[in-house]
Amino acid sequence: MLSGPTALLLSTVALAVGALALWQVFRPLSQGSKYYLIIFLAGVLPLVFLAYPADLRLPARFRTRRQRGTSAENTPATTASTRPTVTDWVLVALAVVACLYPVLPIGIGSGGGGYNAFLDRQGLLAPTDLALGTVLLLLLLEACRRTTGWILPAVCLLFLGYGYYGGLLPQSWPVAHAGLDFSQLVDAFYNSDSGFYGTPLDVAASYIVLFTIYGAVLELSGAGRFFVDLSAAAFRRSRTAAGRTAVASGFLLGTVSGSGAATTVSIGAVTWPLLRRAGYPPERAGGMLAAAGVGAILSPPTLGAAAFIIAEYLGVSYLQVLGWATVPTVLYYLGILLSVEIDARRSGVRPVVIDVGSPWRLLARFGYHFASLIAIIVFLAVGMSATRAVVFAIVLTVALSFLAPRNDRAYRLTPGRLMTALVTGVRGVLAVTAVCAAAGIITATTTKTGLGPQAAALLIGGAQAVTSDPTLVLVLTALLAAVALSLLGLAVPVTASFVIGWVIVGPALLDLGVTAPAAAMFVFYFAVLSEVSPPTALAAVAAAAVTGGRLVPTMWQTLRYALPAYLIPVAFVITPAGLGLLGIGGVPRIAFAAVVTALSVAVLAVAAGGWLPGVGPAGTPERVLGALAGVTLLWLEPVPVTVGAVLAAVAAAGVFIRRASRPMSGSPANRVEEQL
């Protein structure tokens, strides 16, 4: 943690940025949204270099003995994290100058001169424009390295290299282009609407920062503790109370978090002791916590940052995106709950007594914490913008916080605590802002070179090389896209993964007749699943840190719990009936798609867990049949659904036969236990 004058400076600037974001909702700056983005980035980017240390260390074999003895692994986290270096302060100064340069009203050589003069030089940058645009480019790459690691800057440099050297590729290659010089690239990044100040940064500055402030306000008002207590109270007499509490807590906290790893840590700190008492191994408990935590990015009403980008890209209201996400979210958590029930029976989980009060008493006393969540949906439903809806929800949360009982006065949002929430919310958006601004390198390069249509043609061409049947081409393209998005998500954060996936994979799906909502949500889901996909799996890493379990087994357990989420998005795109999962197409289609997919999720959970609740263990043949049935059911057409249902019935019959042929042994109590 920062301390002293540096902490005061960071908090002051963060408070000013938060106040500006709130002010912009009701009194937008007269110069336009891009002007606001310039000011916002000028406030946020310098804070990244103060809040995130450089953390550049030589490999151990290159360090001297003294350096090895005083490395970050062996010293308290006081120096690097609390005392920015001279280099950090230089980067802070450069960030302020490079970000504010477009709006400075003074002439600097042949450049400068104010905002309008800067815009007039679009396509004809002055040397000063080129120099400071290059500085901002390097600063954003360094900010991304500090906040997300080396991979995203490397991807950005790869796109930059493609834009610069693409003209040297053989022109017969589909991805070749005429080539761009460096000044053209910097112009596209620094002085266009598709670069640094494009849609991703607009989303971060207009939506995400407000929702992170809202999440901080809710947390400081005691909502987080209430959600966990309510989950525990609801299942306190259930045999699977510990597992159900973890899953329910993940969903409830996820409605205000929007971060998979953060939600995983939050619920893990509270529910891991319960899971341990119930007899869950650390790896299995970690997998459950990570899968439940990642659901935060899929759970209305906040979702993740990429959901706001979907609304901007498709030109729809955020409420529509929430509607598209509702049924898949329910199905996702259904799959996790079924896996919890199966694990409890297969592993002999012990009942745990959770000492909490009645859920009805909790709801009566603290149910007001739900009011702001409901208010957001109501405000959106009556046509209010998402930004105004969340600001009014913040105001409502502040007002309701004073309903906290006297022994919980710390949860009342006094002016001082409200300022703390503003600072916390802005600090929570630092990494996202760096990623969103750097994403402009990818989107601008793709726009300038026409890479999107070219990559789409390659993807479709690969599928057409295998078959000429239009349906199979769509299926193969979807599978290839899923693999590509999964691999991409291993390297970059969710927001960047969605942006890259949308400009590369999105056009391929659209060219094959997939509707824009289905294509966008397909890309969104696979971008989100990067947080549970080995070998990176950030949520699983966070869960292993909480439980102390082995990392790789925790990742595989997470993958097992989240398995249905990898298959459901394919149903969005391979058949028109799949649109019912997004709430599109009328009540009959929605009901059919939801019921059949719920059956598919249940069958897949049984196949993955190896246990049919109420019957007993499933053997390998039954599990294979169940897996085939679950996948077949996802093809939401009458014939595949019938085939899938028959396969599921045969698999269930096999489990019954296996149970009947297995001799019952042990005491009557044990026999009853087996039947559960």
Side-chain angles (χ1 to χ4, degrees):
M1 295 293 292
L2 294 170
S3 61
T6 303
L8 179 61
L9 174 64
L10 188 147
S11 297
T12 301
V13 176
L15 185 62
V17 171
L20 175 63
L22 294 170
W23 179 269
Q24 177 73 6
V25 174
F26 299 98
R27 293 289 187 271
L29 299 180
S30 59
Q31 296 89 340
S33 62
K34 186 173 180 179
Y35 190 94
Y36 164 66
L37 296 181
I38 292 172
I39 302 299
F40 180 84
L41 187 61
V44 170
L45 185 58
L47 299 185
V48 173
F49 300 113
L50 294 179
Y52 293 85
D55 197 27
L56 287 171
R57 296 192 297 270
L58 290 172
R61 64 180 182 275
F62 294 128
R63 296 200 298 265
T64 65
R65 180 176 299 178
R66 181 178 178 183
Q67 288 173 322
R68 285 194 292 269
T70 59
S71 66
E73 294 93 341
N74 302 310
T75 56
T78 58
T79 56
S81 61
T82 61
R83 298 178 184 174
T85 64
V86 173
T87 302
D88 293 331
W89 286 109
V90 170
L91 294 178
V92 168
L94 287 174
V96 172
V97 173
C99 290
L100 288 180
Y101 167 75
V103 299
L104 291 178
I106 59 175
I108 304 176
S110 57
Y115 181 56
N116 291 331
F118 178 76
L119 295 182
D120 290 341
R121 293 193 298 273
Q122 185 173 356
L124 296 170
L125 294 186
T128 312
D129 301 335
L130 181 60
L132 288 172
T134 303
V135 169
L136 184 55
L137 168 65
L138 296 175
L139 289 171
L140 287 173
L141 292 176
E142 169 61 8
C144 284
R145 186 198 66 77
R146 292 187 181 213
T147 55
T148 66
W150 289 97
I151 300 298
L152 181 56
V155 172
C156 291
L157 288 173
L158 181 64
F159 274 82
L160 181 64
Y162 170 73
Y164 188 75
Y165 292 107
L168 302 179
L169 297 174
Q171 292 302 303
S172 59
W173 289 15
V175 294
H177 59 87
L180 300 168
D181 62 37
F182 189 70
S183 64
Q184 289 176 304
L185 288 169
V186 173
D187 178 73
F189 301 152
Y190 197 34
N191 200 356
S192 78
D193 293 333
S194 62
F196 301 145
Y197 306 110
T199 298
L201 181 60
D202 189 15
V203 166
S206 301
Y207 297 96
I208 300 173
V209 65
L210 297 177
F211 275 86
T212 56
I213 292 172
Y214 170 60
V217 167
L218 262 184
E219 182 64 31
L220 287 177
S221 71
R225 190 189 73 171
F226 163 68
F227 290 152
V228 174
D229 288 347
L230 180 63
S231 301
F235 305 118
R236 69 187 190 281
R237 295 181 180 176
S238 168
R239 179 187 177 189
T240 54
R244 291 180 181 179
T245 298
V247 177
S249 299
F251 171 73
L252 291 175
L253 288 177
T255 59
V256 298
S257 169
S259 169
T263 305
T264 298
V265 173
S266 297
I267 63 176
V270 177
T271 60
W272 164 233
L274 298 177
L275 295 170
R276 182 172 51 205
R277 284 163 50 197
Y280 282 94
E283 292 78 16
R284 183 166 295 173
M288 182 193 306
L289 293 172
V294 165
I297 315 179
L298 306 174
S299 303
T302 56
L303 300 179
F308 298 99
I309 300 179
I310 291 175
E312 290 295 310
Y313 278 169
L314 300 189
V316 300
S317 70
Y318 184 59
L319 183 62
Q320 283 187 269
V321 180
L322 295 184
W324 298 340
T326 299
V327 174
T329 298
V330 173
L331 293 173
Y332 177 77
Y333 278 102
L334 171 65
I336 299 177
L337 283 172
L338 288 172
S339 296
V340 168
E341 299 296 324
I342 289 171
D343 281 350
R345 286 151 179 79
R346 185 180 183 183
S347 305
V349 171
R350 298 184 296 271
V352 174
V353 178
I354 302 176
D355 187 16
V356 291
S358 163
W360 302 112
R361 183 175 300 174
L362 280 172
L363 278 173
R365 189 66 193 87
F366 300 103
Y368 61 84
H369 286 299
F370 283 116
S372 62
L373 295 172
I374 298 171
I376 289 179
I377 303 298
V378 173
F379 290 149
L380 292 174
V382 298
M384 186 179 294
S385 67
T387 53
R388 292 199 173 200
V390 72
V391 171
F392 286 131
I394 291 172
V395 173
L396 180 61
T397 303
V398 173
L400 293 177
S401 70
F402 289 92
L403 295 177
R406 291 187 176 183
N407 58 335
D408 283 333
R409 283 185 176 180
Y411 290 121
R412 296 180 180 182
L413 292 171
T414 59
R417 289 177 56 78
L418 186 56
M419 286 192 289
T420 300
L422 280 174
V423 172
T424 303
V426 172
R427 292 194 65 164
V429 84
L430 296 183
V432 175
T433 299
V435 169
C436 287
I441 300 171
I442 298 165
T443 55
T445 301
T446 303
T447 301
K448 280 286 199 179
T449 61
L451 177 62
Q454 295 165 345
L458 280 176
L459 197 60
I460 296 173
Q464 290 176 335
V466 178
T467 179
S468 59
D469 182 83
T471 303
L472 293 180
V473 168
L474 176 58
V475 173
L476 286 176
T477 301
L479 294 177
L480 290 173
V483 172
L485 290 168
S486 298
L487 294 175
L488 176 65
L490 300 179
V492 297
V494 172
T495 304
S497 179
F498 174 80
V499 171
I500 300 171
W502 180 248
V503 299
I504 301 299
V505 172
L509 297 175
L510 295 175
D511 288 346
L512 292 174
V514 177
T515 64
M521 295 303 288
F522 178 89
V523 176
F524 171 65
Y525 271 82
F526 279 103
V528 169
L529 291 172
S530 65
E531 291 215 6
V532 295
S533 299
T536 52
L538 295 180
V541 172
V546 172
T547 65
R550 293 170 296 163
L551 183 56
V552 173
T554 299
M555 288 183 178
W556 288 114
Q557 288 293 334
T558 304
L559 193 64
R560 179 174 69 85
Y561 277 105
L563 177 63
Y566 284 87
L567 299 175
I568 291 174
V570 178
F572 297 166
V573 300
I574 62 175
T575 173
L579 291 175
L581 295 174
L582 301 179
I584 299 173
V587 174
R589 175 189 278 183
I590 296 171
F592 171 77
V595 171
V596 173
T597 308
L599 176 61
S600 171
V601 167
V603 174
L604 288 171
V606 171
W611 192 280
L612 182 61
V615 182
T620 300
E622 293 85 12
R623 296 176 72 175
V624 171
L625 278 177
L628 290 174
V631 173
T632 306
L633 286 168
L634 289 175
W635 196 302
L636 298 172
E637 297 293 340
V639 173
V641 167
T642 302
V643 172
V646 170
L647 290 175
V650 172
V655 177
F656 274 101
I657 294 173
R658 182 180 298 274
R659 173 175 175 266
S661 62
R662 184 165 53 92
M664 300 288 284
S665 59
S667 65
N670 289 336
R671 290 197 294 270
V672 171
E673 180 74 17
E674 286 182 344
Q675 293 173 2
L676 291 175

